[in-house]
Amino acid sequence: MSFDNELKKALDNIEVPEELLPQNIEAMLRKAGRQEIKTANTASADEERSVKITASRTNRAVIMRTLAAAAACVALAAGFTAFREENSKPAEIESEIEYEAVQVQSYDELYNIYTGIYLNGSGDAARGAENGDGVEIITDEDTASPQTESPAVTETTPAITEAAPVTETEIKQETIEAVRSDFSDADIVKSSDKCIYYICGGTLYAVSKEDMAVVAEITEEDPPFEMYVRGNSLVLISEHIASDPEDGSEHSSVCVDIFDISEGAPVRLRSYKQNGVYTSARIDDSGILYLVTGYSDYRAVPLDENADLESYVPAYYVDGEKSFVAAEDIIVPPGANNTDYTVISAVKCSDPVNVTVKAVLGSSADAYCSESSLYVASSGVKDNVTYTSVTSFDISENGLVYKASGSVDGELISRYSMCESEGVFRIACRAYNENGMITTNIYTLDSALAAVSETKGLLPGVIAGSVKFDGTHASIFENGGTEPALVVDLNQSSPMGEEAAAGFMAAYVNSFGDDLMVGISAVPEGGFRLELYSSDEGVKLSEICFAQTEGAQSPALTDKKAMLTDVENGIIGIPVSSVTEFGVKNQYFVFGCNRDGFTEKGVFEYNDLDDSYRFDRAVVTDGVLYIIGSGRMVSVSLADMTVIEAFDF
């Protein structure tokens, strides 16, 4: 036997102690790295954000040199074990990093945390079915008022009414968007004093309200998908995808272009862009746009000691000038276990543009926005337990201010399963009971995101697709269903009456004033049903069926913004299309609406050869109803419901 073979045989017979196994050496080094993070002096000022981080940063070099030394020491350690007593007890090795909640103070600190999360979390983090990697966020006691104690969590026995079995229809919806209000008021149709603005085929059209003439066409390099109008400003949203010339990977950014529309035709003022895939956006009455994106660098290897900011910090651009999110504006919640970011910006759409940008490391999240708060929520798995983390920010004219963090059990059902009402935040999640059956949990959180009540174990065995919150009521819709599988009164302990439960039959509802709601659903035999509810009592007041033609379709069943709700003029508008032997029949139904019910005010019908002219939206301005589709705009007088003019794009 050769010397090499003898050596190999000897090494194969050496028992390596547990604490010197590669995974435990790695964990030990990560523990040392964490200790370094806690003790490092973070008082020194950062370099300018756009300057690259170099190899002279000592704490990075320590991490990389230590990792290299550890690899070399494994072979030496094997030799030492030949002389080790068999009954030696191995030292305890910490297997995971548990970061405390951190508002980062320097890029060096962020680098260490980011590297530690990558090494620790890459094999531990699990991606949720719908919402991406999550971070475990435990309530940060430092953010709560010291004078106020959080109330104890109470588990309620909800008042529930099991709905009748769902009737199968031809409508296939991945998720029923059963919500009273959406995060965003953006749309593909907007109006000003002078023009109607419409996005069609990637082009923004400005159409004069005076003579229906197109006064401007704007085609962007990246086709816009939604817009806002506030005062004399039009805000256009698009998404840009760039390929990395080195590895060919694609990276997304969301673009915001701001136009002046004081004269009708849009004139470009400013532009803003931030890294990440579009999640949601909203603009308030003061013209501040709140934009949420999910950013990932798709990292396949750890950072090296020469890594620059581009490698681990999201960027944003104002008029093409690039900046990185400031270190002190990055929040690392406790338990963060992946290197994704949620990037949140407050963009004041004025001249000059004023921007505040925050980021949450370890979270690529869904979002919900109220008048005063913005919530980001994401789901993940840790220690084989599914959880949903929530981080909240105060929003005001001063921008974004971090508020609180919290977590609940289960996986967020969808972005349409969150709601803020009367100072509390409600969220619905999927979970599993002790028998391994999927269930739905509903939580109520206070302003510090501490749970004050929870309702667990609803609908065992049923996969929920969305939850509609309305006051103290919650309607749970089965995934793909068009009627609620369960109605819950979160404040009562006795079943709801049939009359009250009937108020929640429609899968999709819109507010109509302060005390009414309007819902639409498909009729199995063909056509549609409008339903009117009392939002205070949850009681159905009236209904009307229309367009009772087999095969009739309406975008209002899957797109909330396709239903026109004009409280001031007391009208509801619904686009409908159906295929005939001669082509496509495009219709727009207009109903009068008040507490007494619905009245049909007019139906506007066009017969076309194909589906190129289907109606999508309508808007009312100055006593005129504008009905708009992919190839046609029709103006209608509200006074007598007659067509003023029709214009084909």
Side-chain angles (χ1 to χ4, degrees):
M1 181 181 293
S2 68
F3 176 78
D4 288 344
N5 289 335
E6 291 180 357
L7 179 60
K8 182 177 183 301
K9 182 178 179 181
L11 290 175
D12 288 341
N13 292 328
I14 293 176
E15 181 182 356
V16 179
E18 183 178 354
E19 66 267 37
L20 292 176
L21 292 173
Q23 62 267 33
N24 286 336
I25 291 176
E26 181 185 340
M28 181 171 60
L29 293 173
R30 291 200 304 268
K31 179 179 178 182
R34 181 183 67 172
Q35 203 63 30
E36 182 180 356
I37 293 170
K38 290 183 177 181
T39 59
N41 179 10
T42 60
S44 60
D46 289 331
E47 297 290 337
E48 185 176 338
R49 288 180 295 181
S50 61
V51 177
K52 292 185 176 181
I53 301 298
T54 67
S56 61
R57 306 245 183 213
T58 305
N59 54 350
R60 298 190 188 181
V62 168
I63 290 177
M64 304 313 297
R65 287 199 301 267
T66 308
L67 290 174
C73 285
V74 171
L76 267 175
F80 292 146
T81 58
F83 304 99
R84 180 181 171 85
E85 295 184 8
E86 292 183 1
N87 60 355
S88 296
K89 181 179 180 181
E92 294 184 1
I93 301 296
E94 182 178 66
S95 61
E96 292 193 10
I97 296 177
E98 295 291 346
Y99 290 113
E100 298 175 0
V102 172
Q103 283 191 274
V104 179
Q105 299 302 310
S106 71
Y107 287 128
D108 276 346
E109 182 183 10
L110 176 64
Y111 173 93
N112 286 339
I113 295 173
Y114 183 103
T115 301
I117 290 174
Y118 178 85
L119 293 174
N120 180 70
S122 58
D124 184 60
R127 184 167 297 276
E130 293 181 2
N131 301 297
D133 287 352
V135 289
E136 181 180 10
I137 304 180
I138 302 170
T139 302
D140 186 354
E141 297 178 356
D142 294 335
T143 64
S145 171
Q147 289 81 22
T148 305
E149 293 185 0
S150 297
V153 178
T154 59
E155 186 160 356
T156 61
T157 303
I160 57 178
T161 300
E162 188 110 20
V166 176
T167 303
E168 291 188 5
T169 70
E170 294 185 9
I171 301 172
K172 302 298 182 182
Q173 294 169 266
E174 279 298 312
T175 302
I176 304 298
E177 299 172 317
V179 292
R180 179 173 181 176
S181 62
D182 200 351
F183 177 91
S184 170
D185 67 348
D187 207 346
I188 59 173
V189 176
K190 291 291 180 180
S191 67
S192 70
D193 293 339
K194 294 182 172 62
C195 288
I196 303 295
Y197 304 95
Y198 177 47
I199 298 172
C200 179
T203 297
L204 172 65
Y205 293 91
V207 179
S208 171
K209 293 164 64 174
E210 183 177 350
D211 57 7
M212 296 281 284
V214 175
V215 298
E217 295 183 26
I218 297 176
T219 302
E220 299 286 291
E221 178 184 354
D222 302 300
F225 56 84
E226 66 181 24
M227 63 179 159
Y228 302 83
V229 168
R230 281 293 182 274
N232 289 326
S233 296
L234 183 148
V235 181
L236 204 59
I237 311 294
S238 61
E239 196 160 22
H240 176 73
I241 299 177
S243 296
D244 190 314
E246 295 184 2
D247 58 15
S249 60
E250 294 185 340
H251 301 276
S252 296
S253 296
V254 175
C255 307
V256 178
D257 292 290
I258 303 167
F259 297 84
D260 175 74
I261 54 172
S262 57
E263 299 300 322
V267 178
R268 190 187 305 273
L269 293 177
R270 292 284 184 267
S271 66
Y272 171 77
K273 183 171 69 174
Q274 77 182 38
N275 287 162
V277 176
Y278 179 86
T279 297
S280 291
R282 176 203 171 191
I283 198 167
D284 65 16
D285 292 336
S286 63
I288 298 178
L289 175 74
Y290 298 96
L291 175 64
V292 182
T293 59
Y295 172 70
S296 174
D297 60 2
Y298 304 102
R299 178 153 300 283
V301 296
L303 292 171
D304 63 39
E305 62 185 86
N306 298 312
D308 56 14
L309 296 183
E310 191 78 47
S311 303
Y312 64 100
V313 182
Y316 62 95
Y317 307 75
V318 178
D319 291 333
E321 183 177 346
K322 183 176 182 178
S323 301
F324 293 96
V325 179
E328 60 269 21
D329 289 327
I330 296 175
I331 297 162
V332 185
N337 60 7
N338 70 80
T339 57
D340 290 346
Y341 284 91
T342 296
V343 185
I344 311 108
S345 60
V347 183
K348 193 165 186 178
C349 301
S350 57
D351 191 10
V353 173
N354 186 14
V355 179
T356 302
V357 187
K358 306 286 185 181
V360 180
L361 175 62
S363 170
S364 182
D366 285 316
Y368 175 87
C369 193
S370 68
E371 291 299 319
S372 59
S373 299
L374 188 151
Y375 301 86
V376 293
S378 62
S379 299
V381 178
K382 190 163 188 174
D383 297 330
N384 296 319
V385 176
T386 303
Y387 61 88
T388 295
S389 62
V390 185
T391 301
S392 65
F393 297 85
D394 279 327
I395 58 177
S396 67
E397 292 185 1
N398 297 323
L400 294 162
V401 178
Y402 171 69
K403 184 178 179 182
S405 297
S407 67
V408 296
D409 292 339
E411 176 193 359
L412 178 68
I413 293 175
S414 74
R415 60 173 290 199
Y416 299 102
S417 301
M418 299 182 282
C419 180
E420 184 189 78
S421 177
E422 298 181 353
V424 297
F425 179 69
R426 290 195 172 100
I427 184 170
C429 299
R430 299 190 191 102
Y432 291 88
N433 61 19
E434 61 275 8
N435 298 320
M437 298 183 69
I438 194 167
T439 64
T440 298
N441 296 346
I442 299 176
Y443 302 90
T444 300
L445 311 180
D446 61 17
S447 59
L449 296 183
V452 295
S453 69
E454 55 189 27
T455 304
K456 293 185 173 182
L458 302 173
L459 290 176
V462 175
I463 300 176
S466 66
V467 176
K468 179 186 69 181
F469 290 104
D470 178 33
T472 61
H473 298 118
S475 298
I476 305 173
F477 290 80
E478 185 174 358
N479 195 33
T482 59
E483 297 179 357
L486 196 68
V487 178
V488 181
D489 185 335
L490 300 172
N491 283 353
Q492 297 183 14
S493 57
S494 58
M496 296 171 56
E498 293 183 2
E499 184 183 37
F504 294 87
M505 293 305 294
Y508 217 155
V509 295
N510 280 282
S511 298
F512 196 79
D514 295 332
D515 59 348
L516 296 176
M517 299 177 69
V518 177
I520 184 172
S521 57
V523 177
E525 296 78 17
F528 309 96
R529 179 174 56 239
L530 275 179
E531 297 178 344
L532 184 67
Y533 317 133
S534 165
S535 57
D536 295 331
E537 304 165 0
V539 176
K540 182 166 70 174
L541 303 175
S542 180
E543 68 175 48
I544 187 173
C545 293
F546 64 100
Q548 294 178 283
T549 302
E550 186 177 356
Q553 300 178 356
S554 175
L557 288 172
T558 55
D559 184 352
K560 177 177 179 173
K561 295 166 187 174
M563 178 192 291
L564 170 69
T565 54
D566 185 347
V567 179
E568 182 178 350
N569 293 288
I571 61 172
I572 302 291
I574 306 290
V576 174
S577 66
S578 57
V579 177
T580 70
E581 57 181 320
F582 303 107
V584 176
K585 180 167 65 176
N586 293 304
Q587 298 173 293
Y588 198 88
F589 288 78
V590 181
F591 300 92
C593 179
N594 56 38
R595 196 169 183 86
D596 294 330
F598 302 102
T599 57
E600 187 176 291
K601 297 178 72 69
V603 181
F604 304 93
E605 181 176 312
Y606 293 82
N607 290 287
D608 300 298
L609 294 177
D610 55 34
D611 60 0
S612 301
Y613 295 90
R614 285 180 174 173
F615 293 125
D616 297 313
R617 297 287 194 274
V619 62
V620 175
T621 176
D622 300 330
V624 178
L625 169 68
Y626 295 89
I627 306 169
I628 306 168
S630 54
R632 177 181 291 127
M633 181 182 295
V634 180
S635 58
V636 176
S637 170
L638 289 182
D640 55 10
M641 284 292 160
T642 58
V643 173
I644 301 172
E645 193 171 354
F647 165 75
D648 288 350
F649 289 100

